[in-house]
Amino acid sequence: MILVPISIEKSFSSIKEIVLLGDWCINSYTSAIPKKNILSYHWTDKNKLDKDVKYIEDLYEKLLPKYTKVLNKYHHTSHSEMFWRIVCGFWLKSFITVAYDRWFMAELAFSSYNIEEIALLDVDSYSLIPKNIVDYGNLCRNSDEWNSYIFHEIFVRLNDLKIHKFNIKNTKKTKSKLNILKNIIKSKTNRILSRLAFFLSKKNEVIFVDSYLPIKEQWRIENRLNQSPSFFKFNEIIGSNSININRREELNITYNPKNDFEIFLISIISKQMPISYLEDFKNLIEKFNKFPSYLSAKVVFTANAHLINDQFTIWAAHAKEAGAKLIIGQHGGGTRSLKHDSYLSHEYSICDHYIAWGEGGKYHKKNIVLPVNKFSEYIPKSTSSKNGLLHVLGFNHKYITHIDSNLTLSKYQNYIKDQKFFIDLIDSKSSKGYKLRANPNSINAGWSNEFDIVGNNSIDNEKHFIKSIKNNKLIVATCNQTTFLQSLAMNIPTVVFWNSEYELLEDSVISDYKKLYDIGILFDSPEAAAKHINELWNNIDIWWNAPELQTIRREFCNKYMYTTNNKDRVLQWSVFFNQLL
């Protein structure tokens, strides 16, 4: 048997019996492979998931102090462990997760089948060293080439096997010239605004970066803080693409591996650590003169820059080490209601306070509840004059990068089938104004056309989601993310369905979500959701405005999507920051 661990656009009909490592390997060439020859994903076992979450977390905490020591030696610095946790802890935990995931699936394949050969891509390993955290995420989640390299490093350790390397032309979608031009214009506009605001706001004590707050509200808050309006955009232009392999050997740590996986992990971390943490680290620091002095910052607030911008994390780590408080805002609807969420555990480990969207969900002593920053005031009009049904899709990347209890890789194909089934079940009166809204990130998620459900369906192309949901009679959400919280908080009729096996909830939230099931907002199958919609379509206003439903909706939103009017929101946020100064 020959094992195919990634998606390879190649016919294997003339080769031996094929085994696919998972659904992510499915494409037009492999779609006919029988189910018995596709491995079941290991983290569909909930007990194993619980156990592995703890193992990965413990291993991360053991390795972080080791890499703190060698990174300080590499850069001739003496930064704290917290400094490096902020700078590269998110990457390190993710990479441990990724390496463990690929390693275990490889072992599972050998224990389940008589594997004699491996099919991989012929790749240049040096070109697959990430430039920064964003580049790492793109490579890890979407790149068959990068994952082929990781699997190659695993397989040469597991067994003496014959490895076929295929040189396949890159067929990835490229951005249109118009989109590229729009991104260039947006980037230049941001840089100009940032430079104009810099001279006024460089002495600000509270620094806002990617706050999710509407910019006018952020400026009103800053006015209440007696500081100038700001628009800080950290710039991640890499000053050097040179990779010093010899110097990377300085990252060898003193650690006693407990198993073969840990031996493999330690051997590959130095080869894959992003350039921004090593060769380009000082170049990024040298550009700090474009931003406020981290020595004068007293409070740093962000909603997501700590996850996507290495220059910001390096600057913020300096600021926190100099005494500033790091405040992180909740950035997703399902974030604190999921049983497992490695993003959230990292955020709690680095912040001084965490701005939560409500008191419901995972409790932590660092939580501070403030009105949602990712929201706009809206008083809904009657739905009777609207006829639109907006079907909002979730998505999953092809390859896993972090552990959370949302839709798992192995269930994504079932998720797509559920969506197609739901569309077929909507009757003519409901589907007259039907529109499908795909997640914009799904375009680059890496899945083959086998997972596409757009087809001949009417597509919602409204750029701004909030505008889109305002204009429809009913919103249908399909995963535990921000979408359904926004429409609920805006009091727009909403029906949600997902398979509870896909969405594992934190124990403390189950009773609140059950109320949504009981009142007919949340359903466990596409059949039940479609039946409900077909029955109530002509009387949505009556159903939605029923006193019992509205009471449950308000209670749920107050716990998971706390909102208020814009004026009061500015006041509450201003009071919070003033207390930190």
Side-chain angles (χ1 to χ4, degrees), residues 413-448:
Q413 192 171 37
N414 291 342
Y415 171 82
I416 295 297
K417 289 178 180 177
D418 283 349
Q419 307 313 306
K420 292 179 179 178
F421 194 25
F422 172 79
I423 295 170
D424 291 339
L425 290 171
I426 295 296
D427 64 27
S428 57
K429 66 177 182 292
S430 308
S431 62
K432 186 176 181 181
Y434 174 88
K435 284 188 178 181
L436 187 71
R437 185 178 181 90
N439 188 300
N441 295 315
S442 63
I443 298 173
N444 299 312
W447 295 97
S448 73

Side-chain angles (χ1 to χ4, degrees), residues 148-370:
S148 179
Y149 163 71
I150 298 297
F151 278 120
H152 178 270
E153 296 299 294
I154 291 172
F155 291 133
V156 295
R157 287 168 170 78
L158 285 179
N159 280 291
D160 185 18
L161 298 163
K162 183 176 181 181
I163 297 178
H164 294 278
K165 289 189 176 182
F166 297 95
N167 189 356
I168 305 297
K169 185 178 179 181
N170 190 328
T171 58
K172 289 183 173 59
K173 296 179 181 179
T174 57
K175 293 182 179 179
S176 68
K177 290 183 179 179
L178 179 60
N179 285 335
I180 293 174
L181 180 61
K182 286 181 178 178
N183 288 337
I184 291 174
I185 292 173
K186 182 178 179 180
S187 178
K188 286 185 176 180
T189 301
N190 284 342
R191 284 202 296 270
I192 291 171
L193 289 174
S194 181
R195 288 172 185 170
L196 289 173
F198 173 72
F199 295 102
L200 297 174
S201 55
K202 61 182 178 180
K203 293 184 179 180
N204 285 3
E205 294 181 328
V206 181
I207 308 300
F208 294 83
V209 179
D210 294 339
S211 68
Y212 275 8
L213 287 161
I215 191 63
K216 290 182 180 179
E217 287 193 18
Q218 178 185 309
W219 289 345
R220 291 189 188 109
I221 293 169
E222 291 185 288
N223 181 56
R224 284 180 169 271
L225 298 175
N226 295 316
Q227 63 180 41
S228 300
S230 65
F231 190 81
F232 297 122
K233 289 291 179 182
F234 282 74
N235 185 359
E236 273 224 51
I237 295 176
I238 300 296
S240 169
N241 285 318
S242 61
I243 300 167
N244 192 329
I245 297 298
N246 292 331
R247 281 216 66 198
R248 282 176 173 250
E249 292 179 2
E250 296 178 24
L251 298 182
N252 293 331
I253 62 173
T254 303
Y255 177 74
N256 183 23
K258 303 300 185 293
N259 50 50
D260 290 340
F261 162 68
E262 292 184 9
I263 294 173
F264 159 69
L265 175 68
I266 300 305
S267 72
I268 199 170
I269 282 179
S270 62
K271 299 176 184 177
Q272 274 292 304
M273 189 172 285
I275 295 171
S276 52
Y277 308 146
L278 297 172
E279 290 88 356
D280 206 57
F281 184 76
K282 291 183 179 177
N283 292 337
L284 291 172
I285 292 175
E286 287 173 358
K287 295 181 173 66
F288 279 179
N289 60 348
K290 297 180 180 179
F291 313 109
S293 170
Y294 58 78
L295 294 173
S296 60
K298 292 185 177 180
V299 179
V300 178
F301 173 71
T302 186
N304 71 351
H306 59 293
L307 303 174
I308 60 173
N309 191 305
D310 284 331
Q311 188 173 46
F312 169 79
T313 59
I314 295 169
W315 180 91
H318 279 92
K320 186 169 173 62
E321 201 165 63
K325 294 186 182 299
L326 177 59
I327 315 299
I328 291 176
Q330 184 172 333
H331 50 83
T335 300
R336 293 172 44 256
S337 62
L338 299 175
K339 185 174 183 181
H340 302 297
D341 188 338
S342 56
Y343 284 80
L344 185 61
S345 64
H346 170 69
E347 290 169 335
Y348 280 140
S349 74
I350 65 173
C351 74
D352 293 279
H353 297 290
Y354 183 89
I355 308 301
W357 288 359
E359 63 180 16
K362 189 165 292 188
Y363 169 80
H364 197 284
K365 62 183 180 181
K366 293 183 179 180
N367 287 351
I368 301 291
V369 176
L370 289 174

Side-chain angles (χ1 to χ4, degrees), residues 6 121 123 128 143-150 168 170 172:
I6 58 171
L121 295 173
V123 298
L128 297 172
S143 170
D144 297 315
E145 291 83 358
W146 186 88
N147 282 281
S148 179
Y149 163 71
I150 298 297
I168 305 297
N170 190 328
K172 289 183 173 59

Side-chain angles (χ1 to χ4, degrees), residues 387-393 423 430-438 453-462 468 472:
N387 65 359
L389 187 160
L390 185 67
H391 181 187
V392 185
L393 299 181
I423 295 170
S430 308
S431 62
K432 186 176 181 181
Y434 174 88
K435 284 188 178 181
L436 187 71
R437 185 178 181 90
I453 73 165
V454 172
N456 296 321
N457 292 300
S458 178
I459 306 302
D460 176 59
N461 292 315
E462 172 61 55
S468 183
N472 286 277

